[in-house]
């Protein structure tokens, strides 16, 4: 379109009425008024001079506007012809050419600014488009997140579900940035060929401090081997302004056949895809080897029944997203703990998947010092179970709580270096 405008500016095209049209032929030399066009004979030649006179002067904002007569020439047969060619009226339309050039330069400038974007203030996002990048010899993926107003809870801090969603998002984007994202949700191309998907079996999270609204957090994640048929993924969440570590998390993942819904060994083709991205390092969270106890109706008095998945709780693998389980687990936690304490750490073991038509029950037992006093200032430890109505276990969990605004009990200042 721009090229067409520029071409038409240099090569103006003129058109004349068809001389064979009898409607355009005028006989005689008398004056004729056609729709406001007054014809009268020219005194200097046999041609007719036509002057356009408006029937009524137009008004602009209530004021009569003065119009300039337009000269149009006709030959002796009454056929209109363009005015004589002069140097002035043969010049190109420079205004259209200038507009075309300006449009091209503005588009180029906008494109260049998008490519060369840099933060104007130190507190602005380093990763403005949220796509993340590979760092530390190509083994660590880093992505920034701004805490939105709809991601904070009653305490004006980000919820645990928000933090877990950030962890899950960076895991998927890590696969995509490494070129390992096939047609599945986090599955590599070879996994897609074999109908394999990733499922999490264990998750440990330690929260040293919860970010608040408008904070920008930096999430680093990397992958390591875990046994013969599993992988371990670690996360480190820090404040982008101060570098303070806010959250540490470690998880174990295995493969499942999405058709048979059974666990699977890692095929050699898949192992060849993912092993180059393994980082030889220790877990960022020390493994809590304590056994998670099984709860029943006789060992707990906090039970929430009738929990049902909604359509929006399902992921692309047609089972409930693992982050949703955390919210269900906390449904049965005592309200006095939720009001006076904050979640400082949790350990989850995922036993089986949950589908859309399942109905669940959430059980919580308070243990440790002050178990009978729900206003204890020293914190609590709770045991959790998420199960189906028939008793089948979905998730076992253990959470630790500390008084709100208490100091964190541990910290890690940097990404662990790769072990030799």
């Amino acid at each position: 379109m721009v090229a067409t405008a520029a071409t038409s500016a240099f090569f103006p095209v003129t058109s004349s009425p068809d001389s064979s049209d009898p409607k355009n032929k005028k006989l005689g030399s008398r004056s004729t008024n056609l729709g406001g066009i007054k014809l009268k004979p020219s005194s200097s030649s046999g041609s007719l001079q036509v002057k356009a006179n408006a029937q009524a002067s137009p008004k602009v904002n209530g004021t009569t506007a003065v119009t300039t007569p337009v000269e149009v020439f006709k030959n002796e047969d009454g056929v209109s012809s363009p005015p004589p060619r002069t140097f002035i009226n043969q010049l190109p339309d420079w205004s259209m050419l200038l507009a075309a050039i300006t449009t091209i330069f503005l588009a180029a400038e906008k494109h260049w600014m998008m490519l060369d974007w840099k933060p104007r203030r130190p507190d602005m996002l380093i990763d403005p488009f949220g796509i993340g990048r590979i760092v530390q010899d190509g083994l660590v993926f880093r992505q920034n997140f701004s805490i939105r107003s709809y991601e904070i809870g009653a305490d004006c801090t980000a919820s645990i579900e928000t933090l877990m969603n950030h962890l899950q998002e960076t895991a998927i984007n890590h696969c995509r940035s490494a070129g390992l994202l096939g047609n599945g949700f986090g599955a590599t191309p070879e996994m897609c060929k074999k109908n394999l998907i990733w499922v999490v079996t264990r998750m440990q999270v330690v929260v040293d401090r919860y970010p608040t609204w408008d904070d920008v957090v930096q999430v680093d994640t990397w992958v390591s081997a875990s046994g013969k048929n599993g992988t371990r993924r670690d996360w480190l969440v820090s404040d982008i302004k101060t570098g303070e570590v806010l959250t540490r998390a470690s998880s174990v993942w295995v493969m499942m056949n999405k058709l048979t819904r059974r666990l699977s060994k890692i095929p050699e083709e898949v192992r060849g895809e993912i092993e180059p991205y393994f980082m030889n390092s220790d877990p960022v969270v020390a493994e809590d080897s304590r056994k998670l106890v099984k709860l029943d109706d006789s060992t707990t008095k906090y039970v929430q029944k009738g929990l049902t998945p909604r359509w929006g709780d399902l992921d692309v693998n047609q089972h409930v997203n693992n982050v949703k389980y955390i919210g269900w687990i906390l449904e049965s936690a005592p309200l006095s703990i939720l009001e006076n304490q904050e979640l400082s750490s949790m350990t989850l073991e995922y036993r089986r998947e949950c589908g859309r038509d399942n109905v669940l029950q959430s059980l919580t037992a308070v243990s440790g010092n002050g178990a009978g006093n729900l206003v204890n200032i020293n914190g609590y430890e709770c045991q959790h179970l998420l199960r189906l109505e028939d008793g089948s276990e979905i998730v076992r969990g253990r959470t630790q709580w500390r008084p709100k605004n208490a100091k964190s009990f541990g910290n890690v200042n940097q990404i662990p270096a790769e072990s030799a």
Side-chain angles (χ1 to χ4, degrees):
M1 182 176 180
V2 173
T4 304
T7 304
S8 63
F10 276 108
F11 303 99
V13 180
T14 59
S15 60
S16 60
D18 188 3
S19 59
S20 62
D21 189 354
K23 295 181 180 180
N24 293 331
K25 294 184 179 181
K26 305 297 177 184
L27 299 178
S29 59
R30 67 180 182 272
S31 299
T32 307
N33 192 338
L34 298 175
I37 307 298
K38 186 176 182 181
L39 308 180
K40 61 181 180 179
S42 174
S43 59
S44 60
S45 65
S47 62
L48 295 177
Q49 185 178 20
V50 180
K51 292 189 177 180
N53 297 320
Q55 296 290 350
S57 299
K59 292 185 178 182
V60 179
N61 295 331
T63 305
T64 302
V66 180
T67 58
T68 304
V70 179
E71 298 280 343
V72 179
F73 296 90
K74 284 197 173 186
N75 57 22
E76 59 184 1
D77 295 329
V79 179
S80 61
S81 61
R85 307 180 92 187
T86 64
F87 173 77
I88 298 299
N89 61 21
Q90 291 303 305
L91 290 176
D93 191 342
W94 295 106
S95 61
M96 292 192 63
L97 178 61
L98 181 60
I101 295 175
T102 303
T103 302
I104 294 174
F105 273 99
L106 289 176
E109 182 182 14
K110 181 178 179 181
H111 182 68
W112 179 257
M113 290 179 65
M114 293 287 288
L115 294 178
D116 195 42
W117 192 94
K118 293 181 180 179
R120 300 296 184 265
R121 302 194 316 268
D123 61 335
M124 292 179 68
L125 286 174
I126 297 177
D127 179 21
F129 306 110
I131 57 178
R133 62 189 185 279
I134 301 291
V135 298
Q136 195 163 328
D137 299 328
L139 300 178
V140 177
F141 180 77
R142 176 172 295 168
Q143 187 170 359
N144 300 331
F145 296 92
S146 178
I147 305 301
R148 312 296 183 184
S149 59
Y150 52 82
E151 295 176 325
I152 62 176
D155 301 326
C156 298
T157 58
S159 64
I160 185 63
E161 290 92 340
T162 294
L163 301 182
M164 297 299 292
N165 282 326
H166 290 169
L167 304 187
Q168 182 172 269
E169 181 70 9
T170 52
I172 299 298
N173 290 337
H174 186 192
C175 295
R176 181 178 62 179
S177 298
L180 296 178
L181 192 62
N183 295 327
F185 191 61
T188 68
E190 287 296 331
M191 290 176 62
C192 293
K193 294 179 183 179
K194 301 179 183 299
N195 295 315
L196 297 175
I197 58 176
W198 290 110
V199 291
V200 60
T201 60
R202 186 177 178 88
M203 174 78 71
Q204 285 185 254
V205 181
V206 175
V207 182
D208 296 315
R209 181 175 69 82
Y210 286 89
T212 60
W213 173 57
D214 205 34
D215 283 349
V216 179
V217 297
Q218 175 180 284
V219 183
D220 292 322
T221 183
W222 58 94
V223 183
S224 305
S226 178
K228 293 183 178 180
N229 292 297
T231 62
R232 190 188 78 243
R233 178 173 286 278
D234 292 331
W235 292 272
L236 197 63
V237 183
S238 57
D239 189 310
I240 199 172
K241 294 181 182 179
T242 64
E244 175 192 2
V245 173
L246 307 178
T247 304
R248 295 164 282 148
S250 185
S251 61
V252 177
W253 299 72
V254 295
M255 291 188 180
M256 183 179 75
N257 189 298
K258 67 179 181 180
L259 300 180
T260 63
R261 317 308 287 189
R262 295 181 179 274
L263 299 182
S264 171
K265 295 182 178 180
I266 300 180
E268 290 302 320
E269 297 84 354
V270 177
R271 191 180 301 275
E273 288 180 316
I274 62 178
E275 275 191 346
Y277 299 94
F278 282 178
M279 185 173 179
N280 187 16
S281 64
D282 295 328
V284 71
V285 178
E287 182 179 358
D288 187 350
S289 58
R290 293 179 297 165
K291 183 179 179 180
L292 296 174
V293 299
K294 180 180 179 180
L295 300 181
D296 55 35
D297 295 331
S298 63
T299 57
T300 180
K301 62 178 181 179
Y302 302 104
V303 180
Q304 182 70 39
K305 299 181 179 180
L307 301 174
T308 57
R310 299 173 300 175
W311 176 255
D313 298 329
L314 304 180
D315 60 22
V316 296
N317 294 320
Q318 300 304 308
H319 59 210
V320 175
N321 188 284
N322 64 81
V323 177
K324 183 62 181 180
Y325 294 146
I326 299 174
W328 282 338
I329 285 176
L330 299 182
E331 283 287 332
S332 58
L335 182 60
S336 58
I337 291 182
L338 298 177
E339 290 177 339
N340 300 286
Q341 307 279 317
E342 66 178 9
L343 181 65
S344 60
S345 69
M346 67 178 179
T347 301
L348 303 176
E349 285 184 0
Y350 296 86
R351 298 302 182 94
R352 59 175 296 173
E353 63 180 338
C354 175
R356 182 182 60 182
D357 299 327
N358 296 135
V359 180
L360 298 91
Q361 298 176 349
S362 176
L363 290 76
T364 296
V366 181
S367 60
N369 294 332
N373 177 17
L374 295 185
V375 292
N376 179 28
I377 62 174
N378 296 320
Y380 299 93
E381 183 175 278
C382 298
Q383 306 293 330
H384 304 275
L385 175 64
L386 194 63
R387 68 185 183 186
L388 299 179
E389 285 187 320
D390 61 5
S392 301
E393 295 186 6
I394 301 295
V395 180
R396 287 187 188 184
R398 177 172 49 245
T399 58
Q400 290 181 323
W401 301 77
R402 62 170 174 254
K404 292 182 178 180
N405 301 321
K407 294 183 179 179
S408 61
F409 55 84
N411 210 337
V412 177
N413 295 323
Q414 59 184 5
I415 301 173
E418 186 175 8
S419 303

